[in-house]
Amino acid sequence: MKKTTKVFAALAGTILALSLASCNEKKTAATGSHEKVTIKFPTAGASGALYAVGAAITNLWDTQIDFVSASSQASNGGIDNLNQIADGESQVSIAISSNCYQSFNGTDSFKGNANKNLRVIAGLYFNPNQVVATKKSGIEQVADVKGKHFAVAAAGSSVEGECKNHFTAAGINYPADIQAEYIAFGDAADMLQNGTIDGAWIMSGAPAAAVSQACSAGCHLVNISDDVIASLQKDYPWYAKFTIPAGTYPGQDADIQTSAIKMVMFTSTSLDEETVYQLTKTLWEHIEELGQAQKNLKGLTPEAAVVDIAGLPLHDGAAKYYKEAGIIK
């Protein structure tokens, strides 16, 4: 499974590269004397959609900006990504807006370690929560997870945080009320396919490879009710309702309502203004090609990139681009 996803990520980069080449484009962001900049871009587990998103974006920057060498890599997800940026181990990454807010303000998983140097490059797409269950589990709503053998992703990850928030909103005492399995998406899909767990929480752009694998084996998506989402929104205003359309996954014959949080691409004040300006400008000038390479990036607009980002500050380089584009003052 992981090998297959890596192939998909590589293909996404190849598609983007060929698309750019077909237009006879060369590196466009030339600044002459700017020193070389290396950008490490952690994403998430190799079986998640974010892995391919990171590959497409870094391939674009690496081929289009003359002073930038950019590469993506697998990671443990949003919280790990934010910590890597805060520690200076990486330069650009993506996480859900809630985790970015918590990192910036030093709350929750980041308590006592506020990163006031965190800056936003762009708000991207909404990242939906996807609850997958086997037929024999009897899980038809979130509250049904109580007492079940359920995969909650890596311990301390942003996805585990989603499980805690939603289960609490549904009246489940987490983790005491479930049999938690702390595993990656790909491993969870294998266990769902084999029937060795009852369900799994997967937060990823749809369609996600792990969810497709599970649904191909007869598993189903679980609807998240209005009541649970309303309860979440009282304490966490970044949550939004999201619909996974019928037919997104094998055997899915009806729309599924779930919750979602916008994905935010971020950096640190340690990355200089000109570099971030070129990253932002290049991203939006080639967003159509990116959308062809990675469906989660299809249809994104710079106008939407500065909203639903939990009130976090833009990097000066990003703000320069959005001002030039007339999107912000």
Side-chain angles (χ1 to χ4, degrees):
M1 184 65 187
K2 292 182 180 179
K3 289 182 179 178
T4 301
T5 306
K6 289 181 180 180
V7 170
F8 287 157
L11 285 174
T14 301
I15 292 169
L16 177 60
L18 290 173
S19 177
L20 294 175
S22 69
C23 297
N24 295 318
E25 295 187 52
K26 297 180 180 180
K27 289 196 172 188
T28 56
T31 58
S33 61
H34 197 292
E35 63 182 12
K36 295 291 183 182
V37 176
T38 297
I39 292 178
K40 295 180 181 179
F41 192 124
T43 56
S47 61
L50 192 57
Y51 186 88
V53 168
I57 292 173
T58 53
N59 180 76
L60 172 71
W61 289 341
D62 192 67
T63 56
Q64 291 294 301
I65 307 176
D66 62 357
F67 63 88
V68 167
S69 174
S71 61
S72 59
Q73 60 194 48
S75 76
N76 288 326
I79 291 176
D80 182 27
N81 297 345
L82 284 155
N83 286 333
Q84 286 195 43
I85 298 298
D87 294 341
E89 297 175 13
S90 298
Q91 290 69 46
V92 178
S93 191
I94 298 180
I96 52 178
S97 60
S98 55
N99 283 161
C100 293
Y101 178 91
Q102 291 160 359
S103 176
F104 183 79
N105 290 287
T107 64
D108 297 86
S109 298
F110 306 92
K111 189 172 183 178
N113 294 294
N115 178 16
K116 292 299 184 181
N117 293 321
L118 185 147
R119 294 293 184 272
V120 172
I121 295 176
L124 300 176
Y125 56 92
F126 278 105
N127 201 29
N129 285 295
Q130 301 179 63
V131 186
V132 193
T134 63
K135 285 185 178 179
K136 66 178 183 180
S137 69
I139 299 173
E140 298 295 338
Q141 57 183 338
V142 176
D144 295 335
V145 174
K146 185 175 182 178
K148 304 297 184 180
H149 189 189
F150 194 91
V152 297
S157 67
S158 57
V159 179
E160 190 203 3
E162 290 300 298
C163 291
K164 179 180 179 181
N165 290 349
H166 285 74
F167 292 157
T168 301
I172 297 173
N173 182 14
Y174 178 82
D177 283 350
I178 72 167
Q179 301 173 54
E181 191 77 44
Y182 300 94
I183 53 176
F185 293 164
D187 296 328
D190 290 340
M191 293 181 75
L192 284 167
Q193 188 173 31
N194 298 331
T196 51
I197 57 174
D198 296 310
W201 199 286
I202 295 173
M203 191 180 202
S204 178
V211 180
S212 294
Q213 180 185 348
C215 289
S216 294
C219 295
H220 64 275
L221 286 168
V222 176
N223 196 74
I224 298 181
S225 69
D226 290 340
D227 288 347
V228 170
I229 294 175
S231 179
L232 285 166
Q233 290 173 332
K234 290 178 182 178
D235 296 320
Y236 312 108
W238 48 71
Y239 282 111
K241 290 182 182 179
F242 187 89
T243 299
I244 300 175
T248 300
Y249 293 109
Q252 183 199 347
D253 56 7
D255 291 349
I256 293 293
Q257 177 175 283
T258 186
S259 61
I261 305 176
K262 182 168 277 191
M263 298 299 298
V264 172
M265 183 159 61
F266 59 91
T267 184
S268 168
T269 55
S270 61
L271 202 57
D272 68 277
E273 180 177 330
E274 179 60 24
T275 296
V276 177
Y277 171 75
Q278 294 294 348
L279 297 179
T280 310
K281 183 172 185 286
T282 303
L283 172 77
W284 293 115
E285 287 183 344
H286 295 280
I287 195 62
E288 185 174 344
E289 296 99 313
L290 281 169
Q292 294 172 1
Q294 224 316 307
K295 63 179 62 181
N296 286 305
L297 300 176
K298 188 175 181 64
L300 298 186
T301 66
E303 288 79 11
V306 297
V307 297
D308 296 319
I309 56 174
L312 295 165
L314 292 167
H315 190 285
D316 288 347
K320 178 182 176 181
Y321 170 79
Y322 295 121
K323 287 176 182 176
E324 287 182 354
I327 295 168
I328 62 173
K329 294 181 180 181

